[in-house]
Amino acid sequence: MYRKTYIEVNTQNLKNNISKIIENYQGYKYYIGVVKGNVYGHGYESIKHLLESGINYLATSTLEEAISIRELYRDIPIMCLQPIHIEDID
């Protein structure tokens, strides 16, 4: 079934929400943005808004997603939520 859907993300609200989380939980070392599923369908380019807001760690579902993100964002740590086979570590 095809559905005509539309979503608009207010990046300023996103940034404000992340800032409030960081402000309320200042003792944490990592603030992790879960960006699996191509950032829930919004595209890896939208990660920049998370990073600008103070997110300092990303989490993906698969190794392939982590590799795609690494090509765009070289310096951010990435955690893969699914197990990675030892032969794929390199």
Side-chain angles (χ1 to χ4, degrees):
M1 173 188 296
Y2 178 76
R3 294 186 181 123
K4 293 181 182 182
T5 58
Y6 173 81
I7 186 167
E8 181 176 332
V9 177
N10 184 318
T11 56
Q12 190 58 51
N13 284 352
L14 177 69
K15 290 177 182 181
N16 289 341
N17 290 344
I18 292 170
S19 293
K20 287 179 183 179
I21 290 169
I22 292 171
E23 183 179 309
N24 287 324
Y25 297 93
Q26 293 181 17
Y28 286 83
K29 184 175 181 180
Y30 300 110
Y31 299 95
I32 301 171
V34 179
V35 293
K36 63 184 189 141
N38 195 19
V39 191
Y40 296 89
H42 299 293
Y44 294 130
E45 296 79 20
S46 63
I47 291 172
K48 70 180 177 181
H49 300 292
L50 299 174
L51 302 179
E52 290 170 355
S53 303
I55 295 296
N56 59 6
Y57 217 106
L58 299 175
T60 66
S61 181
T62 66
L63 177 60
E64 290 79 14
E65 289 175 331
I67 291 169
S68 295
I69 291 170
R70 178 58 66 225
E71 291 174 3
L72 296 171
Y73 303 96
R74 295 273 178 205
D75 299 326
I76 187 101
I78 302 172
M79 171 178 38
C80 185
L81 299 172
Q82 290 184 2
I84 300 173
H85 294 290
I86 191 73
E87 61 266 11
D88 294 329
I89 293 294
D90 289 336

